Amino acid sequence: MMNRRSLLQGALAVPLGAAVLAKLQPAAWAGETAKAMPSGPEIPYRLRLAAKQWAPFGVDTTALLANGTWPGTELRFSKGDEFGVLVENALDGPTTIHWHGLILPNLEDGVPGVTQAPIEAGKTLFYGFRLRQTGSYWYHSHVGLQLQQGLSGPLIIEDPDEPYSYDEDLIVFMSDVVNPSPDSIMEQLLKNDLDVSVSDPFINPDGSKFATDVPYDGLLINGQPPSKPWTKAVKPGSRVRLRLINGSGSTYFRVAIDGLTLQVISCDGEPIVPVEVENLVLATAQRYDVLVTVPSGSSHTLHAAALGLDKQALGVLHSSDITPVVNDQRPSFGGPGLVVENLTSPYETAFSKAPDKTFEVRLSGNMERYLWQMNGVSWPEAFVKFKGITIEESFYDVQLGDVVRFDLVNETPMVHPMHLHGHVFRVLQQGRDPATAPVRDTVSVPPHGKVSIEFLADNPGKWFWHCHNVWHLAAGMAQGVRYVI
């Protein structure tokens, strides 16, 4: 097993002064004083956010893109680097950027109304802090349905002490696309006037159909449609690290590569005990890193098939000594698949004490009214028709140093990918050793199922806690975690 210290373990990671604790909005990070924004070439990355007409599936649609591409510019750092991104808003309305999965200062988290005011049209904002993690992450807008229009991109933090060797390090960023405006689709959902009845052989373990909200027009890998797949040539015999990132609005992808076994080495940026599989499922917003070897004279189609829809995205990985060959037939996904209940951390993740606070989180919804809730309340997003609560009334209160447990109970027939900002958590699996429970930042809660997670409250502030299905979030499926004294 790898000798790597978990971010869940040990002393509190953020030493804070009394004045900072009083506000619970830390102006310093890891004992450092706040830094002024660098200028000119000292800024590592700049993202210009702007609208662009785009037609990956033959119909013009308005995409919202970072530096003009879907996905946006790849951001790549190393652990310990100063993260620095200047965001320019050239859109017609406000926006923010959230750095998904990163443990970061609260005010850098990019959630409007919780950690920052939106970046207004024509304005810029600098995000900067020191990086403590390694692994595969991503960034995306956290305003309305802008994520569904392509405002997202990969974010990689390399490990100076990388335990694996490989010849290529490649991004596989998966997306889903709707041709109509997402706002118009949302209005149809609110009126219960959208048909998503399609044939799909991939069902839930209990035999029920995988329920979906939206009939997507198509799926992408690295911005490329199946008619023109993303293709990469590598030196014969290369060992390749593929960083699989589900950057979709709501799609679950089942991934397999023709003729190759996937050695899975991490989930959501955190290491796991390596496991070899023929296919795996990525919930919305989740990531897996896998290693594959590409023999001489070989071409391998990567399939990313949507659960609940009859569509797939395609890519091709091939040795440079042959011409690539595309297999556009949807596979049967035979052979062993990744069983998420069997994921194991290579280090101990158990806390030294029992949970200080335990909360039951009931996930519920009304499909006819398209109203989604957590513990009977809907976060006041733009499309929530039912009013009656304010943001301040929808937080779980914790204290610095608490071990916190959430027992998630899904009362709906749909799956929910739940994401907690500013923290990682351990996922407790029934029948598995809790001492080495895997660490994630996004957990999938199955229909009518239950999942428990635990995290250390070591990062003061107000943090968003929500379903990462953009349609469910826009209809209210969110709450927050708030540090109190």
Side-chain angles (χ1 to χ4, degrees), residues 186-193 213 362-389 410-414 416 467 469-478:
M186 195 69 205
E187 293 295 340
Q188 287 181 278
L189 288 169
L190 291 168
K191 296 175 183 177
N192 197 22
D193 189 29
D213 297 271
R362 305 193 77 85
L363 310 177
S364 59
N366 183 315
M367 287 299 291
E368 290 186 1
R369 298 172 60 197
Y370 210 74
L371 179 69
W372 294 98
Q373 298 183 320
M374 295 171 66
N375 281 346
V377 298
S378 296
W379 187 271
E381 286 283 335
F383 290 95
V384 175
K385 301 303 182 183
F386 172 78
K387 302 298 180 182
I389 68 160
N410 187 353
E411 299 176 339
T412 80
M414 298 197 72
H416 298 292
C467 177
N469 179 315
V470 294
W471 314 104
H472 296 177
L473 173 57
M477 202 167 204

Coordinates of all heavy atoms in Angstrom, one line a residue, residues 186-193 213 362-389 410-414 416 467 469-478:
M186 N -35.9 23.7 -18.7 CA -36.3 23.7 -17.3 C -37.8 24.1 -17.2 O -38.6 23.6 -16.4 CB -35.5 24.7 -16.6 CG -35.6 24.6 -15.1 SD -34.8 23.1 -14.5 CE -35.7 22.9 -12.9
E187 N -38.2 25.0 -18.1 CA -39.6 25.4 -18.1 C -40.5 24.2 -18.4 O -41.6 24.0 -17.9 CB -39.9 26.6 -19.0 CG -39.2 27.9 -18.6 CD -39.8 28.4 -17.3 OE1 -40.9 28.0 -16.9 OE2 -39.1 29.3 -16.6
Q188 N -40.1 23.4 -19.4 CA -40.8 22.2 -19.7 C -40.9 21.2 -18.6 O -41.9 20.6 -18.3 CB -40.2 21.5 -21.0 CG -40.4 22.2 -22.3 CD -39.8 21.5 -23.4 OE1 -38.6 21.6 -23.7 NE2 -40.6 20.7 -24.1
L189 N -39.8 21.1 -17.9 CA -39.8 20.2 -16.7 C -40.7 20.7 -15.7 O -41.5 19.9 -15.0 CB -38.4 20.1 -16.1 CG -37.3 19.3 -16.9 CD1 -35.9 19.5 -16.4 CD2 -37.6 17.8 -17.0
L190 N -40.8 22.0 -15.4 CA -41.7 22.5 -14.4 C -43.1 22.3 -14.8 O -44.0 22.2 -13.9 CB -41.4 24.0 -14.2 CG -40.1 24.3 -13.6 CD1 -39.8 25.8 -13.7 CD2 -40.1 23.9 -12.1
K191 N -43.4 22.2 -16.1 CA -44.8 21.9 -16.6 C -45.1 20.5 -16.8 O -46.2 20.1 -17.2 CB -45.0 22.7 -17.9 CG -44.9 24.2 -17.8 CD -45.0 24.8 -19.2 CE -44.9 26.3 -19.1 NZ -44.9 26.9 -20.5
N192 N -44.1 19.6 -16.4 CA -44.3 18.1 -16.6 C -44.6 17.8 -18.1 O -45.4 17.0 -18.4 CB -45.4 17.6 -15.7 CG -45.3 16.1 -15.6 OD1 -44.2 15.5 -15.8 ND2 -46.4 15.4 -15.2
D193 N -43.8 18.5 -19.0 CA -44.1 18.4 -20.4 C -42.8 18.0 -21.2 O -42.6 18.6 -22.3 CB -44.6 19.8 -20.9 CG -45.2 19.7 -22.3 OD1 -45.6 18.7 -22.7 OD2 -45.1 20.8 -23.0
D213 N -33.9 12.7 -16.5 CA -34.8 13.9 -16.6 C -34.9 14.4 -18.0 O -36.0 14.9 -18.4 CB -34.2 15.0 -15.7 CG -34.2 14.7 -14.3 OD1 -35.1 14.9 -13.6 OD2 -33.1 14.1 -13.8
R362 N -32.7 13.5 4.1 CA -33.7 12.8 3.3 C -33.8 13.6 2.0 O -34.1 14.8 1.9 CB -35.1 12.8 4.0 CG -35.0 12.1 5.4 CD -36.3 11.8 6.0 NE -36.9 10.6 5.4 CZ -36.6 9.3 5.8 NH1 -35.7 9.1 6.8 NH2 -37.1 8.3 5.2
L363 N -33.6 12.8 0.9 CA -33.7 13.4 -0.5 C -35.0 13.1 -1.0 O -35.4 11.9 -1.2 CB -32.6 12.8 -1.3 CG -31.1 12.8 -0.7 CD1 -30.2 12.1 -1.6 CD2 -30.7 14.2 -0.4
S364 N -35.8 14.1 -1.4 CA -37.1 13.9 -1.9 C -37.4 14.8 -3.1 O -36.7 15.7 -3.4 CB -38.2 14.2 -0.8 OG -38.0 15.5 -0.3
G365 N -38.5 14.4 -3.8 CA -38.9 15.2 -4.9 C -40.3 15.0 -5.4 O -40.9 14.0 -5.0
N366 N -40.8 15.9 -6.2 CA -42.1 15.8 -6.8 C -42.0 16.0 -8.3 O -41.8 17.1 -8.7 CB -43.1 16.8 -6.1 CG -44.5 16.7 -6.6 OD1 -44.8 16.5 -7.8 ND2 -45.5 16.8 -5.7
M367 N -42.1 14.9 -9.1 CA -41.8 15.0 -10.5 C -42.9 15.8 -11.2 O -42.6 16.5 -12.2 CB -41.7 13.6 -11.1 CG -40.4 12.9 -10.7 SD -38.9 13.7 -11.3 CE -39.1 13.5 -13.1
E368 N -44.1 15.7 -10.8 CA -45.2 16.5 -11.4 C -45.0 18.0 -11.3 O -45.2 18.7 -12.2 CB -46.6 16.0 -10.9 CG -47.0 14.6 -11.3 CD -48.4 14.3 -10.8 OE1 -49.0 15.2 -10.2 OE2 -48.8 13.1 -11.0
R369 N -44.6 18.4 -10.1 CA -44.3 19.8 -9.9 C -42.9 20.2 -10.2 O -42.5 21.3 -10.2 CB -44.7 20.2 -8.5 CG -46.1 20.0 -8.1 CD -46.3 20.2 -6.6 NE -45.9 21.5 -6.2 CZ -45.7 21.8 -4.9 NH1 -45.8 20.9 -3.9 NH2 -45.4 23.1 -4.6
Y370 N -42.0 19.1 -10.4 CA -40.6 19.3 -10.5 C -40.0 20.1 -9.4 O -39.4 21.2 -9.6 CB -40.2 19.8 -11.9 CG -38.8 19.2 -12.3 CD1 -38.7 17.9 -12.7 CD2 -37.6 20.0 -12.2 CE1 -37.4 17.3 -12.9 CE2 -36.4 19.4 -12.5 CZ -36.3 18.1 -12.8 OH -35.1 17.6 -13.1
L371 N -40.2 19.6 -8.2 CA -39.7 20.2 -7.0 C -38.8 19.2 -6.3 O -39.2 18.1 -6.0 CB -40.9 20.6 -6.1 CG -40.6 21.3 -4.8 CD1 -40.0 22.7 -5.0 CD2 -41.8 21.4 -3.9
W372 N -37.5 19.6 -6.0 CA -36.6 18.7 -5.4 C -36.2 19.3 -4.0 O -36.0 20.5 -3.9 CB -35.4 18.5 -6.3 CG -35.7 17.8 -7.5 CD1 -36.0 18.3 -8.8 CD2 -35.9 16.4 -7.7 NE1 -36.3 17.4 -9.7 CE2 -36.2 16.1 -9.0 CE3 -35.8 15.3 -6.8 CZ2 -36.4 14.9 -9.5 CZ3 -36.0 14.0 -7.3 CH2 -36.3 13.8 -8.6
Q373 N -36.1 18.4 -3.0 CA -35.8 18.9 -1.7 C -34.8 18.0 -0.9 O -34.6 16.9 -1.3 CB -37.2 18.9 -0.9 CG -38.2 19.8 -1.5 CD -39.5 19.8 -0.7 OE1 -39.9 18.8 -0.2 NE2 -40.1 21.0 -0.5
M374 N -34.3 18.6 0.1 CA -33.5 17.9 1.1 C -34.1 18.2 2.5 O -34.2 19.4 2.8 CB -32.0 18.4 1.1 CG -31.3 18.0 -0.3 SD -29.6 18.8 -0.4 CE -28.7 17.9 0.9
N375 N -34.5 17.2 3.1 CA -35.2 17.3 4.4 C -36.4 18.3 4.4 O -36.6 19.1 5.3 CB -34.2 17.7 5.5 CG -33.4 16.6 6.1 OD1 -33.7 15.4 5.8 ND2 -32.3 16.9 6.8
G376 N -37.1 18.2 3.3 CA -38.4 18.9 3.2 C -38.3 20.3 2.8 O -39.3 21.0 2.8
V377 N -37.1 20.8 2.4 CA -37.0 22.2 2.0 C -36.2 22.3 0.7 O -35.4 21.4 0.3 CB -36.2 23.1 3.1 CG1 -36.9 23.1 4.4 CG2 -34.8 22.5 3.3
S378 N -36.6 23.3 -0.1 CA -35.9 23.6 -1.3 C -35.1 24.8 -1.3 O -35.6 25.9 -0.8 CB -37.0 23.8 -2.4 OG -37.7 22.6 -2.6
W379 N -33.8 24.7 -1.6 CA -33.0 25.9 -1.7 C -33.5 26.9 -2.7 O -34.0 26.5 -3.8 CB -31.6 25.4 -2.1 CG -30.5 26.5 -2.0 CD1 -30.2 27.4 -3.0 CD2 -29.6 26.7 -0.9 NE1 -29.1 28.2 -2.6 CE2 -28.8 27.8 -1.3 CE3 -29.5 26.2 0.3 CZ2 -27.8 28.3 -0.5 CZ3 -28.5 26.7 1.2 CH2 -27.7 27.7 0.7
P380 N -33.5 28.2 -2.4 CA -34.2 29.2 -3.2 C -33.4 29.5 -4.5 O -32.9 30.6 -4.7 CB -34.3 30.4 -2.3 CG -33.2 30.2 -1.3 CD -33.1 28.8 -1.1
E381 N -33.3 28.5 -5.4 CA -32.7 28.7 -6.7 C -33.7 29.4 -7.6 O -34.9 29.5 -7.3 CB -32.2 27.4 -7.3 CG -31.0 26.8 -6.7 CD -29.7 27.5 -7.1 OE1 -29.7 28.0 -8.2 OE2 -28.7 27.4 -6.4
A382 N -33.2 29.8 -8.8 CA -34.0 30.7 -9.7 C -35.3 30.0 -10.1 O -36.3 30.6 -10.3 CB -33.2 31.1 -10.9
F383 N -35.3 28.7 -10.3 CA -36.4 27.9 -10.8 C -37.3 27.3 -9.7 O -38.2 26.6 -10.0 CB -36.0 26.9 -11.8 CG -35.4 27.4 -13.1 CD1 -34.0 27.6 -13.2 CD2 -36.2 27.8 -14.1 CE1 -33.5 28.1 -14.4 CE2 -35.7 28.3 -15.3 CZ -34.3 28.5 -15.4
V384 N -37.1 27.6 -8.5 CA -37.9 27.1 -7.4 C -39.1 27.9 -7.3 O -39.1 29.1 -7.0 CB -37.1 27.1 -6.1 CG1 -38.0 26.6 -4.9 CG2 -35.9 26.1 -6.2
K385 N -40.3 27.3 -7.6 CA -41.5 28.0 -7.5 C -42.1 28.1 -6.1 O -42.8 29.1 -5.7 CB -42.6 27.3 -8.4 CG -42.1 27.2 -9.9 CD -41.8 28.6 -10.5 CE -41.5 28.5 -11.9 NZ -41.1 29.8 -12.5
F386 N -41.8 27.1 -5.3 CA -42.3 27.1 -3.9 C -41.3 28.0 -3.1 O -40.1 27.7 -3.0 CB -42.3 25.7 -3.3 CG -42.6 25.7 -1.9 CD1 -43.9 25.8 -1.4 CD2 -41.6 25.4 -0.9 CE1 -44.2 25.8 -0.1 CE2 -41.9 25.4 0.4 CZ -43.2 25.5 0.9
K387 N -41.8 29.0 -2.4 CA -41.0 29.8 -1.5 C -41.4 29.6 -0.1 O -42.2 28.8 0.3 CB -41.3 31.3 -1.9 CG -41.0 31.6 -3.3 CD -39.5 31.4 -3.7 CE -39.3 31.8 -5.2 NZ -37.9 31.5 -5.6
G388 N -40.7 30.3 0.8 CA -41.1 30.1 2.2 C -39.9 29.9 3.1 O -40.0 30.0 4.3
I389 N -38.7 29.7 2.5 CA -37.4 29.6 3.3 C -36.4 30.6 2.7 O -36.5 31.0 1.6 CB -36.8 28.2 3.3 CG1 -36.3 27.8 1.9 CG2 -37.8 27.2 3.9 CD1 -35.3 26.7 2.0
N410 N -32.5 8.2 0.2 CA -33.1 8.7 -1.0 C -34.5 8.1 -1.1 O -34.7 6.9 -1.2 CB -32.2 8.1 -2.2 CG -32.7 8.7 -3.5 OD1 -33.7 9.3 -3.6 ND2 -32.0 8.4 -4.6
E411 N -35.5 9.0 -1.0 CA -36.9 8.6 -1.1 C -37.4 8.7 -2.5 O -38.6 8.5 -2.7 CB -37.7 9.5 -0.2 CG -37.3 9.5 1.3 CD -38.0 10.5 2.2 OE1 -38.5 11.5 1.6 OE2 -38.1 10.2 3.4
T412 N -36.6 8.9 -3.5 CA -37.0 9.1 -4.9 C -36.6 7.9 -5.8 O -35.7 7.1 -5.4 CB -36.5 10.4 -5.5 OG1 -35.1 10.1 -5.9 CG2 -36.5 11.5 -4.4
P413 N -37.2 7.8 -7.0 CA -36.8 6.7 -7.9 C -35.7 7.1 -8.8 O -35.3 6.4 -9.7 CB -38.1 6.6 -8.8 CG -38.7 7.9 -8.8 CD -38.5 8.5 -7.4
M414 N -35.0 8.3 -8.5 CA -33.9 8.7 -9.3 C -32.6 8.7 -8.5 O -32.7 8.9 -7.2 CB -34.2 10.1 -9.8 CG -35.3 10.3 -10.8 SD -35.3 11.8 -11.7 CE -33.9 11.5 -12.9
H416 N -29.0 10.3 -7.1 CA -28.6 11.6 -6.8 C -27.1 11.7 -6.5 O -26.7 11.1 -5.5 CB -29.4 12.2 -5.6 CG -30.9 12.3 -5.9 ND1 -31.4 13.2 -6.8 CD2 -31.9 11.6 -5.4 CE1 -32.7 13.1 -6.8 NE2 -33.0 12.1 -6.0
C467 N -27.2 18.3 -4.7 CA -27.2 17.3 -5.8 C -26.5 17.9 -7.0 O -26.8 19.1 -7.3 CB -28.6 16.9 -6.1 SG -28.8 15.7 -7.5
N469 N -26.8 16.9 -10.1 CA -27.7 17.0 -11.3 C -28.1 18.4 -11.5 O -28.8 18.9 -10.6 CB -28.8 16.0 -11.1 CG -29.8 16.0 -12.2 OD1 -30.2 17.0 -12.8 ND2 -30.3 14.8 -12.6
V470 N -27.8 19.1 -12.6 CA -28.0 20.5 -12.7 C -29.5 20.8 -12.6 O -29.9 21.9 -12.1 CB -27.4 21.1 -14.0 CG1 -25.9 21.1 -13.9 CG2 -28.0 20.5 -15.2
W471 N -30.4 19.9 -13.1 CA -31.8 20.1 -13.1 C -32.4 20.0 -11.7 O -33.2 20.8 -11.3 CB -32.5 19.2 -14.1 CG -31.8 19.0 -15.4 CD1 -31.0 18.0 -15.8 CD2 -31.8 20.0 -16.5 NE1 -30.5 18.2 -17.1 CE2 -30.9 19.4 -17.5 CE3 -32.4 21.2 -16.7 CZ2 -30.7 20.1 -18.7 CZ3 -32.1 21.9 -17.9 CH2 -31.3 21.3 -18.9
H472 N -31.9 19.1 -10.9 CA -32.3 18.9 -9.6 C -31.9 20.1 -8.7 O -32.6 20.6 -7.9 CB -31.8 17.6 -9.0 CG -32.3 16.4 -9.6 ND1 -31.9 15.1 -9.3 CD2 -33.2 16.3 -10.7 CE1 -32.6 14.3 -10.1 NE2 -33.3 14.9 -10.9
L473 N -30.6 20.6 -8.9 CA -30.1 21.7 -8.2 C -30.9 23.0 -8.5 O -31.3 23.7 -7.6 CB -28.6 21.9 -8.5 CG -28.0 23.2 -7.9 CD1 -28.2 23.3 -6.4 CD2 -26.5 23.3 -8.3
A474 N -31.2 23.2 -9.8 CA -31.9 24.4 -10.2 C -33.3 24.4 -9.7 O -34.0 25.4 -9.5 CB -32.0 24.5 -11.7
A475 N -33.8 23.2 -9.3 CA -35.2 23.1 -8.8 C -35.1 22.9 -7.2 O -36.1 22.5 -6.6 CB -35.9 21.9 -9.4
G476 N -34.0 23.2 -6.6 CA -34.0 23.3 -5.2 C -33.2 22.3 -4.3 O -33.2 22.4 -3.1
M477 N -32.6 21.3 -4.9 CA -32.0 20.2 -4.2 C -30.6 20.6 -3.6 O -29.6 20.2 -4.1 CB -31.9 18.9 -5.0 CG -31.8 17.7 -4.1 SD -32.1 16.2 -5.1 CE -32.7 15.1 -3.8
A478 N -30.6 21.4 -2.6 CA -29.4 21.9 -2.0 C -29.6 22.3 -0.6 O -30.7 22.7 -0.2 CB -28.8 23.0 -2.8

